[in-house]
Amino acid sequence: MNVDASRRRPIHALAALPAPLWVGIHLLLYLGVAVVVPLLWEPAPAGGRVEALRRALTELPSVLLSPGGVMVTALAAGCLGVLRLLSRVRWYWFRLAAILLFGVPLPLFVFAAAGARAAVPVAIPHLLVALLIVQPRRTDGWAEPDPAPEGHRW
């Protein structure tokens, strides 16, 4: 048995989930990274990082239910839906699409509106999410990073 096969079982199990559940799990990943990275980016507050995390988690529902939070969450869910539709492409095209959908638009918008100092903390979580998204994998190996030799086209 391939050594990587045992490491990829959870990834394959996640990829086999129905689309709404897959999008929901990745949306939670997106929101979690969006909460934690700004806390780590800023210098340690007076109460410490634990207090800042507790405060952020208590304020999270009000932020998510605000018009801007609803819009960002809906856009992220739409981008995840597009990525789910692209699950049959090769892994490198999938990663490129994930980076173009998550890592480029909002950081560029923030860069144009507020400058580079505000865009960097926005770009970091978006690029992390784009690279952490688990690609749905097909059973015939086309989406695998190293497909079988008969899958190569010369």
Side-chain angles (χ1 to χ4, degrees), residues 2-91:
N2 187 356
V3 174
D4 277 344
S6 63
R7 286 189 222 148
R8 290 188 182 171
R9 283 187 189 140
I11 294 172
H12 290 292
L14 182 62
L17 292 174
L21 193 55
W22 183 90
V23 169
I25 288 172
H26 284 85
L27 193 58
L28 288 175
L29 171 74
Y30 173 73
L31 294 174
V33 169
V35 166
V36 171
V37 167
L39 290 175
L40 296 176
W41 182 261
E42 296 295 323
R49 296 215 186 271
V50 174
E51 178 62 28
L53 181 62
R54 187 195 60 76
R55 191 178 70 243
L57 290 176
T58 56
E59 295 172 1
L60 185 64
S62 63
V63 171
L64 289 178
L65 296 176
S66 71
V70 170
M71 184 178 68
V72 168
T73 304
L75 288 172
C79 290
L80 285 167
V82 169
L83 287 176
R84 182 66 181 200
L85 292 174
L86 294 174
S87 65
R88 295 189 180 267
V89 299
R90 295 274 187 161
W91 68 273

Side-chain angles (χ1 to χ4, degrees), residues 8 11-12 15-16 87 91 95 134-139 143-145:
R8 290 188 182 171
I11 294 172
H12 290 292
S87 65
W91 68 273
R95 293 290 180 223
V134 178
Q135 179 180 356
R137 301 187 190 282
R138 292 178 49 190
T139 57
E144 294 292 333

